[in-house]
Amino acid sequence: MAHLIDPDTLAAAVAAGARVRLLDVRWRLDVPEGRPAYLDGHLPGAVYVDLERELSTPGHPEEGRHPLPSAATLARSIRRWGVDEGDLVVAYDDNDGVAAARLWWLLRRRGLEVRVLDGGLGAWIAAGGLLESGDVLPVPGSAVLRDADPGVASIDDAAQAAVAGRLVDVRGPQHYRGTTAGSDPAAGHIPGAVNVPTLSHVDRSGRLRPPEQIRRTFSSAVQDVSTGLVLYCSSGIASAHSALALAHSGIEARVFPGSWSRWSRARDRPVASGPRPWGDVGAR
């Protein structure tokens, strides 16, 4: 099953009159509100998706910073985006596909055909694609979502995966090692987790690397990548991107949505620091 679409294939599909719903998911940690950039210029017909409010839901701090939306909330959102039954849903962003992958992950097992634009906005522009400004307010759509599990791992699942050598921390090395303080109560990683940063799967143009290269990268850190992988990041966004990279290479993995933002708030969970999975483990 295809999980990506390149700009040329997307442009050809639109030109041929295919039923495509474009979704602009611009978001990043330092600029969580992507609407101003969207209004300045987006793919023609693209609808803005608010990651903070539509792909996440406000929750208690102990649930993490980006708890998953309910199935009902997600169903209302896809209708607002104008998604109809049979549409090809294409998500994109301007941040290496990290935010768009969150939408892909939430929808991929719920009865919709959904893909991520490989290379995002930059690849579209580089291929000669046009942009339009202003807001797009589509007629509400009629698509119906299945209330299916997108591949969620619980906090206990993450702990068990760590013991089995199947837990992957996809953050940058400085966050994994605990040398850079973030916005969470503690710095470091889940004891037993190995570090495979999600951006290691992206080339200089923002596109995903070839499947065989992604498999090699994971295999260098995890002895057996064929089954049981659990991914986590800071708050469940970047880990969806690693799930996309793995799916692109033919490997399934689950995501721990609360990720470090939840683990670090659980007083009964130990924290590790340093470059080794089990190194410098301590209680809090």
Side-chain angles (χ1 to χ4, degrees):
M1 178 181 178
H3 303 287
L4 303 175
I5 188 169
D6 64 77
D8 291 338
T9 301
L10 174 59
V14 172
R19 293 169 51 186
V20 179
R21 174 56 65 195
L22 294 168
L23 300 177
D24 187 307
V25 199
R26 269 182 269 189
W27 173 94
R28 59 184 70 217
L29 281 174
D30 57 340
V31 187
E33 179 53 76
R35 183 177 287 278
Y38 161 83
L39 293 173
D40 283 343
H42 53 79
L43 271 65
V47 176
Y48 177 69
V49 174
D50 190 325
L51 184 145
E52 296 276 345
R53 298 174 180 83
E54 294 181 301
L55 304 184
S56 308
T57 189
H60 298 291
E62 63 270 17
E63 295 177 332
R65 286 185 274 116
H66 292 105
L68 299 184
S70 68
T73 295
L74 198 56
R76 286 193 296 271
S77 294
I78 67 158
R79 288 193 289 271
R80 185 193 74 77
W81 304 333
V83 179
D84 290 319
E85 292 291 332
D87 284 356
L88 170 62
V89 177
V90 177
Y92 73 91
D93 59 40
D94 61 353
N95 188 27
D96 297 322
V98 172
R102 169 81 165 204
L103 185 146
W104 164 86
W105 181 72
L106 283 170
L107 296 185
R108 62 178 300 224
R109 292 190 173 124
R110 286 181 155 132
L112 299 180
E113 185 178 1
V114 56
R115 298 181 190 174
V116 171
L117 177 60
D118 198 18
L121 183 66
W124 175 261
I125 294 172
L130 300 178
L131 301 180
E132 68 178 12
S133 59
D135 207 354
V136 174
L137 301 173
V139 174
S142 60
V144 177
L145 287 185
R146 292 201 301 261
D147 186 7
D149 176 11
V152 173
S154 69
I155 191 169
D156 290 331
D157 292 333
Q160 292 166 8
V163 172
R166 297 285 187 272
L167 182 65
V168 181
D169 184 319
V170 311
R171 297 174 298 164
Q174 71 278 19
H175 295 290
Y176 173 83
R177 296 180 181 189
T179 57
T180 297
S183 56
D184 297 310
H189 61 267
I190 298 174
V194 299
N195 187 212
V196 184
T198 194
L199 291 184
S200 64
H201 315 308
V202 180
D203 65 19
R204 290 184 178 180
S205 68
R207 295 175 184 250
L208 279 180
R209 297 187 187 279
E212 61 274 12
Q213 189 169 344
I214 293 171
R215 286 194 293 269
R216 283 200 303 270
T217 299
F218 273 100
S219 296
S220 67
V222 181
Q223 186 173 8
D224 180 7
V225 299
S226 63
T227 184
L229 286 184
V230 173
L231 312 171
Y232 80 94
C233 55
S234 293
S235 62
I237 307 300
S239 46
H241 183 271
S242 285
L244 171 65
L246 281 164
H248 175 56
S249 63
I251 300 168
E252 288 295 321
R254 290 181 294 160
V255 169
F256 168 34
S259 287
W260 186 248
S261 65
R262 181 175 181 190
W263 185 279
S264 63
R265 285 171 170 78
R267 302 297 300 178
D268 59 335
R269 302 287 179 172
V271 170
S273 59
R276 293 174 294 134
W278 293 100
D280 302 320
V281 179
R284 290 178 294 125

